[in-house]
Amino acid sequence: MNLIVFGPPGAGKGTQAKRLETVLGLPHVASGDIFRDIRKQDSPLAREVRSYMDAGNYVPDELTIELVLARLRKPDALQGFILDGFPRTEPQAEALDSALAGDRRRLDVALYINVPDEIITQRLQGRIICPQCHAIYNVVTHPPIVDLTCDVCGHALEKRTDETPEVIGTRLEVYEQQTAPLVEYYGTRGILREVDGNQAVRVVEAGVDEALDLRGVK
Ligand code: AP5
Ligand code: MG
Ligand code: ZN
């Protein structure tokens, strides 16, 4: 299955995509994780990526498309993938469609997880992440077993750098302008599936499974 997961910041894209990675046995390719790995380096590219992310702006399409499409050409993604956070502009969506068509592949489902803005702010304020394995936690709804330590790999957990109230505000505006139009883009192509993300994680999981027709798979 070739699947994209999109929706506003903090909707739970990463949380759901990580679980689907295990359920479907397909790689979880998150553009945000790709950029968070690059930004740790000491290079002109890392500085450029930091400047966009820390302001809550999107990294330019050309660079984003090149990095993500290169990742999708790796052998583990040839049997299918779960793309999280890409595409998030129309040029990115078109580039993905044409790259897949060139390889005689196509997207099967665009999973849209929707959550209202006020819930997003609360969730992002409580989020902590593992910089090593990209696991996602929340001090309120999903705390790690040992304080500030990753359950999966034992690394120290941290806050992201793009979660001040001001930067969250910019991210929501940019999402509305540049990514919300993808609902229509994928709706027109007949592959849009919407899930209400403003419910407990387990309930959202059930909604995702239903949207993907996975109820008998696990
Ligand atoms: P990215 O990392 O993709 O950030 P985002 O889209 O803003 O989304 P988040 O990762 O913040 O949220 P999420 O939906 O994954 O939620 P999560 O599961 O963590 O991108 C970051 C930046 O990189 C961008 O701003 C941009 O600069 C750049 N970038 C990335 N892709 C790009 C692209 N394609 N083009 C250009 N630039 C790009 O959950 C959030 C919290 O809520 C967690 O604490 C979680 O535990 C909790 N939670 C999850 N589900 C629930 C639930 N149902 N109930 C209660 N709590 C929940
Ligand atoms: Mg995410
Ligand atoms: Zn970890």
Side-chain angles (χ1 to χ4, degrees), residues 76-126:
D76 66 334
L78 295 179
Q79 301 308 315
F81 51 77
I82 303 152
L83 254 181
D84 158 11
F86 180 97
R88 62 174 105 199
T89 64
E90 277 200 34
Q92 291 180 16
E94 285 161 3
L96 177 64
D97 283 345
S98 69
L100 291 176
D103 294 342
R104 296 175 180 275
R105 298 194 283 172
R106 63 179 168 77
L107 275 186
D108 297 301
V109 177
L111 185 68
Y112 169 46
I113 305 181
N114 199 9
V115 172
D117 287 6
E118 56 285 5
I119 303 291
I120 287 170
T121 308
Q122 275 173 31
R123 282 189 187 177
L124 295 184
Q125 279 166 352

Side-chain angles (χ1 to χ4, degrees), residues 45 124 136:
L45 176 64
L124 295 184
I136 302 162

Side-chain angles (χ1 to χ4, degrees), residues 6 11 38 62 92 126 144 155:
F6 76 108
I38 291 176
E62 197 182 346
Q92 291 180 16
H155 200 279

Side-chain angles (χ1 to χ4, degrees), residues 124-200:
L124 295 184
Q125 279 166 352
R127 174 167 57 190
I128 36 180
I129 57 154
C130 176
Q132 184 157 277
C133 75
H134 305 299
I136 302 162
Y137 301 86
N138 190 288
V139 290
V140 181
T141 58
H142 178 39
I145 296 164
V146 179
D147 242 8
L148 291 178
T149 305
C150 181
D151 294 349
V152 181
C153 74
H155 200 279
L157 300 176
E158 55 186 47
K159 292 285 298 168
R160 279 174 38 175
T161 54
D162 55 355
E163 297 189 332
T164 63
E166 195 193 357
V167 175
I168 292 173
T170 307
R171 285 166 61 199
L172 290 172
E173 277 170 33
V174 173
Y175 172 82
E176 242 354 278
Q177 285 164 10
Q178 303 205 44
T179 308
L182 294 186
V183 173
E184 196 185 330
Y185 182 95
Y186 289 116
T188 315
R189 284 159 179 75
I191 59 166
L192 185 76
R193 303 278 183 280
E194 181 168 350
V195 173
D196 176 6
N198 188 16
Q199 313 176 83

